[in-house]
Amino acid sequence: SDAVVLFDGTDLSAWKGNGNAAPNWKIEDSAMVVGKGGIMTKHEFADIQLHIEWASPSEVKGDGQGRGNSGIYVQGRYEIQVLDSYENKTYPDGQAGAFYQNSPPLVNASRKPGDWQTYDIIFRAPRKQEDGGVEPGSFTVLHNGVLIQHETPVSGKATAAAPFKGIAPKGPLFLQDHGNPVRFR
């Protein structure tokens, strides 16, 4: 009942592009299709439970990280990898559902290219402590209903390509443009 709907299949009014510009993504068949540049929510979040659906392109092109690549950055800092990992070898902490460059998924739960996939992400943000230390946060992620990350620690160090760095109480969701026409809904 308290859900914030970020995309209803008709417009990108909850999203912005770089520098507050309008997003340069298309809407096709009630889905957002990655365009030029990443997009982020206008709304910022702290701890969050996120349901998102995505699909890699139906036509397989490339391999490894060059196949259906995108990412979901919670607080614009911590990436859960989006990748066509169906019969596609890549490094463990770079496959679909990885906390990118930190923790591989417990299992590959990927569906075929073009099929809709779901992520249910439960994120607890890292917090600065009075003594200057950091209380780690965590990710729990279900991919197509399968547990793939379970209370995976988030130290506060942002993923390498993240648009934001440092620990913050809130931040936007950021969807990455990695040159592949991944769809989101």
Side-chain angles (χ1 to χ4, degrees):
S1 66
D2 65 344
V4 175
V5 176
L6 298 170
F7 181 65
D8 67 1
T10 63
D11 68 60
L12 297 170
S13 60
W15 299 84
K16 61 185 178 178
N18 292 335
N20 291 326
N24 193 12
W25 289 26
K26 302 180 279 191
I27 298 175
E28 293 177 356
D29 298 322
S30 300
M32 300 185 290
V33 180
V34 174
K36 186 176 181 186
I39 63 172
M40 68 182 72
T41 57
K42 294 176 181 176
H43 189 85
E44 293 191 342
F45 302 91
D47 298 345
I48 185 173
Q49 180 176 340
L50 173 68
H51 175 81
I52 192 163
E53 299 177 12
W54 61 273
S56 61
S58 297
E59 183 180 342
V60 175
K61 292 183 179 178
D63 59 4
Q65 292 293 301
R67 194 166 129 184
N69 193 334
S70 185
I72 301 162
Y73 290 76
V74 179
Q75 289 194 334
R77 292 167 171 80
Y78 315 108
E79 180 183 7
I80 297 297
Q81 176 74 315
V82 169
L83 187 76
D84 175 1
S85 289
Y86 185 82
E87 298 179 356
N88 180 25
K89 292 188 180 201
T90 191
Y91 46 94
D93 61 1
Q95 62 184 299
F99 173 21
Y100 191 72
Q101 296 179 329
N102 286 276
S103 178
L106 296 170
V107 66
N108 182 348
S110 295
R111 294 182 177 149
K112 295 183 295 188
D115 286 359
W116 283 102
Q117 313 214 37
T118 62
Y119 281 164
D120 289 289
I121 300 170
I122 299 155
F123 174 75
R124 190 176 53 79
R127 291 163 171 73
K128 287 185 181 179
Q129 296 181 310
E130 288 182 23
D131 66 1
V134 175
E135 177 187 342
S138 67
F139 272 118
T140 295
V141 181
L142 287 90
H143 182 188
N144 298 324
V146 177
L147 182 67
I148 62 165
Q149 299 283 344
H150 181 63
E151 297 179 1
T152 302
V154 178
S155 68
K157 180 182 175 197
T159 305
F164 299 102
K165 306 293 183 202
I167 296 173
K170 289 183 173 181
L173 296 174
F174 175 80
L175 301 179
Q176 180 185 47
D177 165 22
H178 209 286
N180 299 134
V182 174
R183 298 172 291 153
F184 290 94
R185 63 182 188 191

